[in-house]
Amino acid sequence: MKLLVVEDEPKLAGFLKRGLEEQSWEVEVAYDGQLGKKIASSYKFDLIVLDVNLPILNGYDLAKQLRKDGLTTPILFLTALGTIDDKLDGFDAGGDDYLVKPFEFRELIARIKALVQRAGGREQGASILSLADLELNLDEKVARRGGNRIDLTAKEFALLEYLMRNKGRVVSRVDIAEQVWDIRFDTGTNVIDVYINFLRKKVDKDYPNKLIHTVVGMGYIFKEE
């Protein structure tokens, strides 16, 4: 397995490189965001470990640019920024997971393995999810309804994918928080409802057959009316 670590703190970068190489993984290191983008775009990696506070190009902007360029490699943010807003920014930028410093190295290893396994399973599974006239192409990262392309942010795409993979089943806000945002659900935030509304405006608003439904007191279900 080949990993790219983008981390500007030399001691931590060295620690990560040695520790990951002990797992028999090949590791490349970049010390700023611009170099990280160049390396990530030039070579194929199984996963990218990405700091946020980087010189020249910060981690959020780097992830956004890589996703815009079509790179689907899993991205794990590893950063000292640990608020819910920080995590949501990371996921919105295209990150697949978010681990806050200081961290347990065993947890980092576990998360890396899970992300790579998930990405591998996705490659081997169905590349297109569909319901009614809605299609979600997992390879191209494109959603279409009635043949019309729907522009989605990275987190909107992840949320729609989760709903479609669980079509016909009620999913709670706790389920969504844990599976899409990888965070413990905070009853004081309405971020999930906000994103559901974002999706409804893009996926359902202009179509008579609604697919995203609220189950009062329980959560949401993705199905044809």
Side-chain angles (χ1 to χ4, degrees):
M1 191 159 67
K2 188 171 183 178
L3 310 180
L4 172 62
V5 174
V6 189
E7 168 61 59
D8 67 316
E9 213 291 310
K11 288 185 178 179
L12 178 56
F15 167 75
L16 289 170
K17 181 175 173 62
R18 290 191 300 273
L20 295 172
E21 287 178 340
E22 287 178 0
Q23 302 293 315
S24 299
W25 298 336
E26 184 179 347
V27 182
E28 294 286 337
V29 176
Y31 295 99
D32 65 67
Q34 182 174 300
L35 180 58
K37 181 183 179 183
K38 181 178 180 180
I39 295 175
S41 302
S42 301
Y43 303 95
K44 181 175 175 58
F45 292 92
D46 295 287
L47 183 133
I48 299 171
V49 179
L50 182 58
D51 190 11
V52 173
N53 291 323
L54 295 168
I56 306 178
L57 183 67
N58 72 56
Y60 294 150
D61 289 339
L62 171 55
K64 289 177 183 177
Q65 291 185 22
L66 292 176
R67 294 302 188 223
K68 184 178 180 181
D69 292 342
L71 191 76
T72 59
T73 304
I75 294 175
L76 188 157
F77 279 104
L78 183 64
T79 174
L81 302 178
T83 69
I84 292 296
D85 286 340
D86 293 326
K87 294 179 181 180
L88 294 179
D89 286 343
F91 288 121
D92 285 342
D96 297 278
D97 202 353
Y98 198 105
L99 184 59
V100 178
K101 303 172 184 175
F103 60 94
E104 287 282 346
F105 198 77
R106 291 179 300 170
E107 182 178 4
L108 174 63
I109 296 297
R111 287 177 182 244
I112 288 174
K113 289 180 177 179
L115 283 175
V116 172
Q117 184 178 23
R118 189 186 311 163
R122 181 176 296 172
E123 289 176 2
Q124 296 170 10
S127 60
I128 295 180
L129 302 177
S130 63
L131 180 67
D133 56 347
L134 175 67
E135 287 190 350
L136 194 66
N137 190 308
L138 304 179
D139 294 331
E140 298 178 2
K141 299 295 183 184
V142 170
R144 292 184 177 88
R145 185 157 189 191
N148 300 314
R149 179 169 176 150
I150 301 171
D151 292 324
L152 300 174
T153 66
K155 191 49 58 180
E156 288 169 351
F157 188 95
L159 176 57
L160 182 57
E161 179 183 348
Y162 179 70
L163 292 173
M164 294 187 74
R165 287 187 182 277
N166 291 275
K167 60 185 177 183
R169 184 173 77 87
V170 176
V171 291
S172 68
R173 291 172 178 80
V174 173
D175 293 331
I176 295 172
E178 292 179 350
Q179 299 301 319
V180 180
W181 271 269
D182 194 27
I183 58 175
R184 184 174 299 174
F185 181 62
D186 180 358
T187 56
T189 180
N190 66 341
V191 65
I192 292 171
D193 304 290
V194 168
Y195 270 84
I196 289 289
N197 286 333
F198 287 163
L199 271 188
R200 279 182 164 141
K201 289 178 181 178
K202 295 183 177 183
V203 171
D204 276 345
K205 182 180 177 181
D206 297 326
Y207 301 89
N209 183 18
K210 309 305 180 186
L211 301 177
I212 303 173
H213 306 274
T214 300
V215 181
V216 178
M218 300 180 68
Y220 300 97
I221 187 169
F222 196 81
K223 65 176 183 178
E224 293 188 73
E225 282 185 328

